[in-house]
Every structure is written in structure tokens, then in C-alpha cells.
Amino acid sequence: AVAADHAYMLISAFLVFFMQAGFAMLCAGSVRSKNVMNILIKNVLDACVGCMAFYFFGWGVAYGVDDDGKASSVIGAGSFFLAKNDANGGFKDWKGFLFQWAFAAAAATITSGAMAERTQFAAYLGYSFLLTAFVYPVVVHWVWDSNGWMSAWGGDDSNALSVIDFAGSGVVHMTGGVAGLMGAIMVGPRTGRFGPDGKPVPMPGHNAALVVLGTFILWVGWYGFNPGSQLAISDGVSAEVTARVAVITTLAAAAGGVTAMILHYSLYKVWDLIAVCNGVLAGLVSITAGCPVIEPYAAVIAGAGGAVILWATGKLLLKLKIDDPLEAFAVHGACGAWAVIFVGLFATEGYVAQAYGAPWGSKPEYGIFYGGSGALLGNQILEVFMIFVWVGVTMGGFFFSMKVAGFLRSSPEEEALGLDESKHGGSAYNMEKV
């Protein structure tokens, strides 16, 4: 049984890491051809820099304990560089590190899409390291570590503030989305994105095929992201939960894609491929928090609602003249918040008891639409608020300091030429005449 659970976690980690390829294709297809190498090297380095940062500091901040085996409710206290201490007797949670690093890399990649096509490379390296070494791991500690102040995994210790964020709609997606929003605000819109009258000027990506490929890779990877977050499969309960999570995830993704298609055709009389792809991703994000605790019909509502929130948030950002080329905040930040709150509405008592037990005390908390007390909904709203404040202040402060120092935005000349030619030695596409 132990070997089966180890193998399941490792395979899930491999799937989550493969999502980096999906993000790479999605980002490459969504930017103009003159900036493809720039966005792709950032995707590759999200994995590399993120691994170093998570190894140096991130794991310790998220899950580390001191020599007495203890950590505060706010931040981890040891195991930096996966070092030995008296509590762990030598680091042994190899599967846990690999699984959590893949999640951390995903959070960093979300941010890079919001700032695409006009951000200096040095600024990117800085925020990628900071996010995966400190900002994201603190949120992980709050919600997923047994010592965290919002954790539902405290063992025998009850915690009235426990939240249900099973695979990280808040922890991963909101964190990356809010960081991206702060970066997009600080770096400013791409040159020419808004006309003299203030109206947005379309800047479509150069390759819809890459967007579709990236979307499907991400969808497949989500079967490691969500079912894998059960962290086990050998016992009967875990096997049932993982299978149900896979179905619930699929329903939400499909509902998001269909809703986005209908919405865009109703408004614009266009069967919009890119909108459908983003709708699928919005549906996936919208189910990641509550996938083990809601009914199939509720998964459809979550995914469809995510598609609407994606569209509305995109419109709001354009109204505010915030340029997010990949709609990273709309997909991950806004839909991540929707997903976390949705749990407080639609979580069922039986599924919560099966997946979580009763970390709040004597009995499970569940959604208000099923007769819940409202305590869970309050906790879920608190998680959304705290992530927005924590990530907004830390990453907003970092981006502001980089802007003041002149290290955030590329020069107008570099932006006009394209970051591939100006910074990466040439175009991603060899278009030599034969």
C-alpha cells in the first residue's frame, strides 16, 4: 500500500510538472511572434529558478519544523536546503518535495503571462525567485501544513478556521494571479494597447494552434493536480475520492468551455476558439478548491460561473486600462477566488466528512446551500482576503521597488523591435527564403 501511494504521488507530480509544457505552449501562442523566445525562456526558468528557490528556502518556509518538531502557525521553521535536523532525522519526504515544487513552479508561471512582452528579464528572475522561495510557501504553510492557522490537516487538533482548498484554487492560482495583477499594474500596458481615446486596441496572439495544444496539455496535467492532491490511492476511501475528483474536474472544464462559447457567440456572433480555451481553463481553476466535496451538478455550475467571471473580469481590467495578455488574473486570480468561495456554498456534509473528517471540532462544516452554519463560508472568504492582501502587498512592493529602480520595464525601442531580437539573439522562427 505504501509503495502504491508513493508511486501515485510521483506520477501525479510528473503530470503537474508536465503542465509547464502546457503553460509554455499557451503563452507562446498568446503573444506576438516577436516575443516568443522571451516568454518561453521564462517558462523554462520558472522550473529551474523555482526548483532552486524551493530547495533553498521554499520547502522550509512551507513545511519546515525546528529541532523540536514544531513551527509557528504563520511560517515554517527549518529544513532549508532539505537539511537534517533533530526532528526529521534526515530529510525523507522526497515525493512530497517533488510534488510541491511542481505546484510552486505553476504559481510562478501564471505570473509571467500577465507581464508578457514588456518586462525586463532581470525583474522576471527576481519575482520568480521571491514568489517560489517565500511568498507562495507562506500561503502553503497557512493552508496545507498541519501547523498552519487555516489548515484542515492538524491531526487531532481542531481548528475553527480550517478552510477547504483541496488542490489550491487559492493557494496556487490566486497567489499566481494576484502576483500577476500587481506586476501588470506596475509595469503598465504594452505600447499601443490602448488608443488615444482610451479604448483597447486588439493585440492577438500569433498562433491559435499552440494555444489549443497548451490548453489540452494543461487539462491532462490537471488530473495530477486535482486527483493527485489526495496524496494516496491504495485504500478504498482514497480510491473513491480520486476517481470522483477526476470526474468532477472534467465536468467543470467542459462546462467552462461550453459556457464561454455560448457567451461569446451571444455577445459578438463569433465562435471564438481562444475564448473557449480560456473558458476550459477557467472551469478547471474554478473546481480545484472544492473538487472532492461537491456534487456533479455543482461542478457544472462552478465551471460555467468561472467562464462568466473570466469574461467579466477581463472587461473590468480593460476598463481600468490594465493589460494582461494571457488574462492570467481573470483565469487564475478571479476564478481562484470564486472557487474558494464556492466551496462555502456547495460543499456537501457527506463528502466533507469523507475527504476531511471534522477538523473544525466535533462535526464537519459544509456549504450553506446544504444547511451549513456559514462558518465554512466565512473561513473561505477569509482565505481569499488574506491571500489578496499578503500577495498584493509583498509582490506589489517588489514590483514597485523594481519600477522605481528602473529594472521593471523594457525600453520602448526593445519593445518595438521585439524582445526576441533585442534580448535573445534572434527570432523564434527561422523564416529564411529558400
Side-chain angles (χ1 to χ4, degrees):
V2 173
D5 290 339
H6 274 62
Y8 179 66
M9 271 197 73
L10 287 173
I11 292 169
S12 296
F14 303 156
L15 281 170
V16 175
F17 177 57
F18 188 56
M19 292 174 75
Q20 292 295 318
F23 280 122
M25 295 300 96
L26 182 71
C27 290
S30 298
V31 300
R32 291 167 291 178
S33 59
K34 64 182 181 179
N35 295 309
V36 170
M37 285 211 298
N38 177 262
I39 197 70
L40 287 179
I41 193 173
K42 291 175 180 178
N43 276 268
V44 174
L45 287 174
D46 278 327
C48 301
V49 173
C51 183
M52 293 294 96
F54 204 66
Y55 166 64
F56 293 158
F57 306 112
W59 175 269
V61 171
Y63 293 105
V65 294
D66 60 22
D67 286 344
D68 296 324
K70 297 178 180 178
S72 79
S73 63
V74 177
I75 193 170
S79 299
F80 301 108
F81 297 86
L82 305 188
K84 176 180 177 179
N85 61 27
D86 292 342
N88 65 29
F91 188 82
K92 297 182 180 67
D93 193 8
W94 307 111
K95 67 184 187 307
F97 177 84
L98 192 74
F99 191 69
Q100 293 298 333
W101 155 69
F103 276 63
T109 302
I110 291 166
T111 304
S112 65
M115 303 172 65
E117 300 198 288
R118 75 272 201 204
T119 305
Q120 284 194 41
F121 197 65
Y124 156 75
L125 292 173
Y127 78 67
S128 183
F129 190 91
L130 176 63
L131 191 68
T132 47
F134 180 62
V135 177
Y136 165 77
V138 167
V139 181
V140 171
H141 184 81
W142 292 351
V143 179
W144 286 343
D145 184 64
S146 60
N147 297 296
W149 66 278
M150 289 190 285
S151 175
W153 309 109
D156 295 331
D157 298 327
S158 62
N159 178 13
L161 293 176
S162 294
V163 299
I164 294 177
D165 189 1
F166 185 71
S169 291
V171 175
V172 180
H173 295 281
M174 254 200 83
T175 297
V178 173
L181 176 65
M182 293 299 106
I185 291 171
M186 293 299 173
V187 76
R190 291 168 289 177
T191 301
R193 183 65 174 96
F194 297 96
D197 57 358
K199 292 182 179 180
V201 177
M203 286 186 173
H206 82 286
N207 194 323
L210 292 179
V211 173
V212 173
L213 176 61
T215 300
F216 274 119
I217 291 174
L218 288 169
W219 192 341
V220 171
W222 236 283
Y223 294 121
F225 211 97
N226 285 5
S229 291
Q230 179 66 16
L231 309 182
I233 199 170
S234 60
D235 62 281
V237 171
S238 292
E240 180 183 340
V241 171
T242 53
R244 183 173 70 244
V245 165
V247 173
I248 295 296
T249 299
T250 305
L251 288 171
V258 170
T259 302
M261 178 190 69
I262 294 171
L263 180 62
H264 278 258
Y265 187 79
S266 299
L267 294 173
Y268 312 116
K269 304 305 178 192
V270 173
W271 303 107
D272 193 326
L273 171 63
I274 305 302
V276 172
C277 290
N278 282 338
V280 168
L281 298 177
L284 288 164
V285 173
S286 297
I287 204 61
T288 296
C291 47
V293 298
I294 67 172
E295 297 276 5
Y297 83 90
V300 174
I301 295 173
V308 175
I309 287 170
L310 161 67
W311 171 81
T313 305
K315 288 295 183 185
L316 176 62
L317 293 186
L318 291 178
K319 198 77 172 176
L320 298 173
K321 294 183 174 57
I322 298 172
D323 182 18
D324 182 350
L326 273 90
E327 295 191 294
F329 175 73
V331 171
H332 300 277
C335 290
W338 156 249
V340 173
I341 294 170
F342 189 85
V343 175
L345 303 175
F346 283 94
T348 69
E349 183 177 12
Y351 285 165
V352 170
Q354 183 188 45
Y356 280 84
W360 304 269
S362 60
K363 61 184 181 65
E365 294 288 348
Y366 48 98
I368 60 171
F369 291 166
Y370 287 85
S373 67
L376 177 61
L377 177 60
N379 292 355
Q380 302 296 110
I381 294 172
L382 178 63
E383 182 194 352
V384 169
F385 174 78
M386 289 303 302
I387 291 174
F388 200 96
V389 171
W390 166 249
V391 179
V393 170
T394 53
M395 296 306 297
F398 172 80
F399 288 128
F400 179 75
S401 65
M402 295 294 284
K403 181 177 181 179
V404 170
F407 295 138
L408 184 59
R409 182 159 186 141
S410 299
S411 70
E413 295 77 18
E414 291 170 344
E415 187 180 352
L417 179 62
L419 300 181
D420 289 359
E421 292 285 354
S422 61
K423 292 296 183 182
H424 301 290
S427 172
Y429 301 100
N430 186 350
M431 306 298 285
E432 292 179 356
K433 294 180 180 180
V434 178

